[in-house]
Amino acid sequence: MSGTTTAAALRRRAAGAGANRWVVLVVLCVSLLLVAVDATVLHVAVPAVTEDLKPGAVELLWIVDAYPLVCASLLILFGTLGDRVGRRRVLLLGYTLFGVASAMAAFADDAHLLIVARALLGVGGAMIMPATLSILRQVFPDRRERALAIGIWSAVAAVGAAVGPLLGGFLLEHFWWGSVFLVNIPLMLVSLPVGRILLPESKGDSDGPWDVVGALTAAAGLFAVVLGVKRLGAGELGAATLLPLAAGVVLLVLFVRRQRRREHPLLDLRMFSRPAFSTSVGCIVLAMLALVGLELIAAQYLQLVLGLSPLETGLRLVPLTFAAMAAGLAGARMLRRFGPRRMVSLGFCLTAGAVVLLTAMGGDDNAPLLLGGFVLLGFGLETTLFGAYESMLSEAPQDQAGGAAAIGETSYQLGAGIGIALLGSVMNAAYAPGLSQVPGVPASASAAAAHSLGEAYEVAARLGGPAGEALRLAARHSFVHGLHVTLLVSAGLLLAGAAMALRLPRLMHCDPEETPSGPASAPSPAPSGSAPASGTTAEASPAQGLGSTPTRMPAQRESRGSGVKV
């Protein structure tokens, strides 16, 4: 065996030490599933929580928002801490905290305790999310296998987001609202010992002390920015919104300046000088910015315009989830066939096409149109996010894997928050004018109805008679018009993302030194075979299956000086 292939085999054995790497992937996917489910499972329980705990308006807002706010602000802190002290260690601590916080939330007897428990769940989620991706980066040193693993990982994330409301609805029909949190505990009790036994420990190669001040500055800055963005999404433009935004931006600027001056920075910001990395991060932000607001608007359209029940609404969105799962599972093959540039651009274009198709939605139910649009939307979005995440993670140095994963997850959260604020503003601007002069409706009633379609229906019910019916019809018509405008704006943002993706590498580069060669440390269903000859890499075709003998293809070379893969 040559020196190159011997080094590759040693890295592969080290990556899989203690467990088959595909078993490790299963453990990581279970971790991600819990976090993804918990992010959405509370949504259906809010009415029951409100009836039981009687929280005020501000308290209810914090019950819902404490988890995503805390999680988004601490991703960089715990991602970089894992690089220093051990990613498995941080992940197992996250498991423990997640389980304890779930028990606190389930048995909370007042709103303040529930808010604290939700915040602790956010801390646990911030420990778990970047650790799963960074450990995945370590145990799959070969990029082709890693692409397949990321595809499975992202498909599980799509399942978790969809299962959350359905699981919550099922539990609420049979148990009290705290059961939506209790479901986490047995899974965490299993995950802790299994993770300790099976997951390999890994750290980055960074020297010097961990920058505690920098980590806290980044956390405070992100918390303030995400809080301000969420308030913008709720339509609030006062000092309580602008001050956190300004303070957050100042803190993040100070964080960047501090990192550039330090000999041993918390985050190596030179990663952003690599076009593949910075473009991937930008694509993640833009994809979420363009689409997450549409999810909320689509739910309102299905329930308030078409009159579907919450369960019927969830079932209508199931094809979107299945399409996203299919794209995740097919992502590795598409990435090898098309390369990052064409794959991400194609995903953006498919998603833009789906959004334009959905502009044909009107006041009447058109199930085939919605089915086709949601399937295309789910497949295109997952294709985009898969290609961007894979390129970002592969471009980052392995010793910075935790920080890179945290940057990707933070970009996802920020894009989602900005998207709700931006597309919500577009929707309101297009919706409100249609209610300004409805015959027979007082100006005060029109002004109240202009806040939202739900409020318009309440005002119409109070008015009653011909005036109420006229207001109801005008509100439905204005909402559909606003939806069409919002969809077109979203399509424009997606096409801008397709243009941005042209800066990604044309080909999927696989370093020959990272290619699997020789037997793994444990029997594996993954591709295995003889060591490739010098200048070649092994590739397994998804059509052959995981246990097939890999084929050989010439390795692509990379220009290391500029950081651009060609």
Side-chain angles (χ1 to χ4, degrees):
M1 184 181 290
S2 67
T4 297
T5 55
T6 300
L10 290 174
R11 274 198 303 276
R12 186 180 175 107
R13 291 190 181 97
N20 178 290
R21 59 194 179 283
W22 299 97
V23 176
V24 170
L25 176 62
V26 171
V27 178
L28 296 178
C29 286
V30 170
S31 309
L32 178 67
L33 183 64
L34 286 171
V35 176
V37 167
D38 207 73
T40 57
V41 72
L42 182 65
H43 294 171
V44 295
V46 167
V49 171
T50 303
E51 182 179 354
D52 187 22
L53 300 184
K54 304 294 190 296
V58 174
E59 291 172 330
L60 182 60
L61 182 67
W62 278 103
I63 288 173
V64 175
D65 286 346
Y67 177 87
L69 272 174
V70 172
C71 185
S73 61
L74 296 179
L75 286 167
I76 288 179
L77 188 153
F78 287 117
T80 55
L81 180 63
D83 288 339
R84 293 301 180 100
V85 304
R87 294 151 188 158
R88 185 187 68 169
R89 182 177 299 174
V90 171
L91 180 63
L92 295 179
L93 182 60
Y95 284 165
T96 304
L97 186 57
F98 210 83
V100 171
S102 295
M104 286 179 59
F107 297 105
D109 55 1
D110 65 74
H112 295 96
L113 182 58
L114 183 56
I115 291 170
V116 171
R118 290 279 290 167
L120 290 176
L121 282 170
V123 177
M127 293 178 174
I128 292 170
M129 291 173 69
T132 60
L133 263 182
S134 54
I135 293 175
L136 186 150
R137 171 73 172 84
Q138 180 223 353
V139 298
F140 290 95
D142 171 45
R143 185 172 182 179
R144 290 182 180 86
E145 285 190 349
R146 185 166 65 244
L148 177 59
I150 292 175
I152 296 171
W153 181 89
S154 60
V156 169
V159 172
V163 164
L166 296 177
L167 177 63
F170 172 80
L171 291 173
L172 286 172
E173 285 188 3
H174 298 85
F175 308 100
W176 93 113
W177 61 264
S179 60
V180 302
F181 298 107
L182 277 185
V183 71
N184 297 330
I185 296 176
L187 293 175
M188 286 301 171
L189 289 176
V190 173
S191 297
L192 263 173
V194 171
R196 184 174 181 83
I197 295 170
L198 296 182
L199 295 180
E201 184 59 283
S202 66
K203 299 179 183 179
D205 297 330
S206 301
D207 298 323
W210 185 57
D211 184 9
V212 180
V213 174
L216 295 176
T217 302
L222 286 170
F223 184 90
V225 167
V226 175
L227 176 61
V229 166
K230 280 186 170 290
R231 294 183 67 88
L232 275 179
E236 301 178 22
L237 295 174
T241 299
L242 299 179
L243 287 177
L245 273 177
V249 170
V250 169
L251 287 171
L252 291 179
V253 170
L254 292 175
F255 169 75
V256 170
R257 293 183 61 182
R258 178 180 177 86
Q259 298 308 297
R260 287 179 172 173
R261 291 197 304 265
R262 288 183 63 86
E263 181 181 358
H264 303 291
L266 187 71
L267 278 178
D268 186 358
L269 297 178
R270 290 175 297 179
M271 288 189 293
F272 284 95
S273 66
R274 302 180 179 185
F277 186 89
S278 56
T279 302
S280 297
V281 171
C283 287
I284 293 170
V285 172
L286 199 52
M288 296 313 300
L289 187 154
L291 288 163
V292 73
L294 293 181
E295 182 181 348
L296 299 176
I297 296 170
Q300 294 180 57
Y301 170 79
L302 292 172
Q303 294 186 59
L304 298 179
V305 175
L306 300 185
L308 302 180
S309 69
L311 179 58
E312 290 172 330
T313 298
L315 293 175
R316 286 292 184 94
L317 295 173
V318 165
L320 188 150
T321 301
F322 280 114
M325 291 170 55
L329 296 175
R333 184 174 187 175
M334 289 193 293
L335 189 63
R336 289 197 299 271
R337 182 183 179 97
F338 300 114
R341 180 187 302 173
R342 283 187 292 175
M343 181 176 178
V344 177
S345 293
L346 175 64
F348 271 121
C349 290
L350 283 175
T351 311
V355 167
V356 172
L357 176 64
L358 290 173
T359 58
M361 293 186 302
D364 298 322
D365 192 0
N366 189 338
L369 172 70
L370 293 175
L371 175 63
F374 288 158
V375 167
L376 195 59
L377 186 69
F379 192 89
L381 174 62
E382 183 61 28
T383 298
T384 299
L385 292 176
F386 174 90
Y389 265 105
E390 198 283 334
S391 296
M392 179 201 71
L393 199 60
S394 295
E395 187 69 16
Q398 186 164 334
D399 63 321
Q400 290 277 322
I407 289 171
E409 295 294 339
T410 304
S411 303
Y412 186 101
Q413 299 285 345
L414 286 176
I418 295 171
I420 292 174
L422 175 63
L423 295 185
S425 300
V426 171
M427 180 69 189
N428 290 336
Y431 164 76
L435 300 177
S436 58
Q437 295 180 344
V438 181
V441 178
S444 59
S446 294
H451 293 157
S452 68
L453 182 58
E455 193 164 347
Y457 283 175
E458 292 178 2
V459 174
R462 288 198 300 268
L463 286 176
E469 184 61 23
L471 178 61
R472 184 181 181 87
L473 291 176
R476 289 178 78 249
H477 177 77
S478 295
F479 185 89
V480 172
H481 169 71
L483 176 61
H484 291 166
V485 173
T486 306
L487 287 169
L488 291 176
V489 171
S490 180
L493 292 170
L494 292 164
L495 292 177
M500 177 190 294
L502 296 178
R503 297 182 70 239
L504 289 171
R506 184 172 61 87
L507 299 174
M508 177 184 178
H509 172 81
C510 296
D511 193 331
E513 294 187 2
E514 291 188 350
T515 301
S517 57
S521 59
S524 170
S528 61
S530 59
S534 177
T536 64
T537 56
E539 176 182 18
S541 168
Q544 296 172 328
L546 291 179
S548 303
T549 303
T551 59
R552 299 173 185 267
M553 64 178 292
Q556 305 297 336
R557 300 299 178 188
E558 178 181 10
S559 172
R560 297 288 182 184
S562 63
V564 182
K565 296 176 180 176
V566 296

